[in-house]
Amino acid sequence: MLIVHHLNQSRSQRVLWALEELQMPYQIIRYQREPNMLAPPALKKVHPLGKSPVLEDNGHIIAESGAILEYLQERYDRDNHFRPQEEVEKLQYRFWLHYAEGSLMPLLLMKLVFSSLGKPPVPFGLRSLGKVLGQGVQKAYLDKQIATHAGYIESQLAGRPWFAGENLSMADIQMSFPLFALLSRGGIKTLPNIAAWKKRVETRPAWQRAIEQGGPFDIPGE
């Protein structure tokens, strides 16, 4: 039996979605975030990094969303429903599978951090300075970078419904977390192709079953 170590409001939602698309039976072990929004220490008993998701299968402990999705596709997607076979589409598939965490998510995490510098748990006496610093970094660098990436993604979805072509793939599942995060922080009206992609995701029965299993998936804005 596959076991998913699932943290609420986290990247592990992608693993549940993938398993539902593959129609694989699985067990969920649930963890709740601490008040500071970090993962609980109990996850370190599963994997030394103490992060989610973690997948257990046949004695293997697998961490990192991209690695888990690739593992599931290679092992259980025997007819390659979720990995394209045409050369151009395979290149797109590989790019988006790695781009999600390698390029887009670091920018969104930095924006979240810098937008929080004027709020608790930053000490009260430093919040004013932190707010000014955070706004300055966002205006001078992060917002421009995120706009560039959002524009690029928007253009790539202009001619196709899914990231690697006409069919949903593991690349879409990997891109779901950063794109839901991007849209939660504004700009949805200026990103119609991304917004349409999100609607296609949300209407899939497997996505809906994953939400039922994993709980609400509402990434907070700034």
Side-chain angles (χ1 to χ4, degrees):
M1 172 70 73
L2 290 159
I3 300 174
V4 181
H5 293 269
H6 173 65
L7 180 66
N8 66 307
Q9 301 282 30
S10 78
R11 291 164 169 83
S12 56
Q13 186 66 36
R14 293 186 286 203
V15 178
L16 301 183
W17 181 18
L19 289 168
E20 291 292 344
E21 292 285 357
L22 290 166
Q23 300 183 40
M24 294 292 299
Y26 61 93
Q27 175 187 349
I28 299 177
I29 298 179
R30 304 176 189 276
Y31 302 82
Q32 291 294 314
R33 291 184 181 275
E34 301 280 283
N36 58 9
M37 295 304 291
L38 296 177
L43 265 170
K44 288 190 175 181
K45 297 178 181 178
V46 183
H47 189 279
L49 293 180
K51 303 291 185 182
S52 179
V54 175
L55 179 74
E56 288 190 56
D57 186 30
N58 293 318
H60 301 299
I61 304 294
I62 309 164
E64 289 293 334
S65 300
I68 292 172
L69 296 184
E70 286 189 295
Y71 173 83
L72 291 174
Q73 190 282 317
E74 291 170 3
R75 187 171 182 86
Y76 296 109
D77 181 25
R78 295 182 176 88
D79 295 325
N80 287 312
H81 290 302
F82 301 103
R83 182 179 184 273
Q85 298 304 298
E86 297 296 327
E87 190 63 29
V88 173
E89 292 182 348
K90 281 168 65 177
L91 289 172
Q92 288 294 319
Y93 172 84
R94 184 172 290 114
F95 171 78
W96 295 111
L97 198 62
H98 292 274
Y99 167 87
E101 292 293 335
S103 294
L104 182 57
M105 202 61 211
L107 290 171
L108 298 175
L109 285 172
M110 283 192 287
K111 183 170 177 62
L112 180 63
V113 169
F114 280 101
S115 67
S116 301
L117 290 182
K119 307 172 185 177
V122 174
F124 180 80
L126 298 176
R127 289 177 197 168
S128 296
L129 177 61
K131 182 177 181 180
V132 172
L133 174 63
Q135 290 176 342
V137 172
Q138 291 179 77
K139 183 177 180 180
Y141 175 72
L142 287 175
D143 290 346
K144 295 176 183 177
Q145 287 291 313
I146 290 172
T148 296
H149 283 258
Y152 175 69
I153 298 167
E154 177 74 7
S155 70
Q156 295 301 298
L157 287 172
R160 55 179 182 260
W162 303 104
F163 277 99
E166 294 299 314
N167 300 303
L168 177 100
S169 72
M170 289 295 180
D172 295 281
I173 296 177
Q174 179 73 340
M175 284 292 292
S176 63
F177 189 85
L179 281 191
F180 274 62
L182 175 67
L183 294 177
S184 75
R185 290 164 191 155
I188 190 168
K189 293 181 180 179
T190 63
L191 300 170
N193 295 327
I194 297 176
W197 171 88
K198 180 174 182 283
K199 287 183 179 179
R200 285 191 288 275
V201 168
E202 292 174 327
T203 59
R204 293 188 69 84
W207 169 267
Q208 295 168 7
R209 292 195 301 270
I211 294 298
E212 291 175 3
Q213 292 294 324
F217 188 64
D218 298 316
I219 301 175
E222 297 175 20

